[in-house]
Amino acid sequence: MTELPQWIAAKLPAGARHPGLAIARLGDERKLAKGGFALSSPAFAAGEELDPCFTAKEEDAVAPPLEWSAPPPGAQEIVIIAEDASSEAAEPQCHWLVWGLPGQKGKLLEGETPPRAGKNAKGNSEWLLPNPPLGVTRHYVFQAFATELPLTTMPGATREDIVKAIEGQVTACALLHAPFTGTPEDDGLADEDF
């Protein structure tokens, strides 16, 4: 497995440096935070643990809220890809795939249904609830991409479909990292590790 480029690795802790992250393929050092483009969440700071209300540890869990600043001029769309960077597979597990967001400053509210969503690692179009085993910490990397052309991809597309559709079209990118450690509170999904 190749290493994650240094321009991304410097922004992430060791456990979150999966070389297959979408940003490693779609971005570069000049595009990271270009024009001040940034991704954040009102629910957690960069590097701060996800609240269980966004994981499989709580019954009514939902997707976390995200906010992004204005991308560089000319951006047509914002695409968000959230991945488990602790995965040992060649590609990190896709937890959320969202597009159809206007190419401007914006946000997704907690649990909000996005305009368009693609298939996560389980094959459905929802936020895949993190569910690491008890005591195991996994690292989730939220990545935002501003594109110079709007996507024509239909809902239900895969991660690879979206990556191919925006490859060469990304004008700016940003990332946000949040770990989550498996806790004893469990809703019976312990046999599924995400």
Side-chain angles (χ1 to χ4, degrees), residues 74-79 103 145-151 166 169-172:
Q76 296 295 307
E77 190 163 335
I78 304 296
V79 176
F145 303 94
T147 65
E148 61 186 1
L149 294 173
L151 271 73
I166 65 174
Q169 305 294 328
V170 174
T171 60

Side-chain angles (χ1 to χ4, degrees), residues 27 30-35 37 71-72 144-147 169-174:
R30 293 171 297 127
K31 293 176 185 165
L32 183 64
K34 184 177 179 182
F37 186 52
F145 303 94
T147 65
Q169 305 294 328
V170 174
T171 60
C173 55

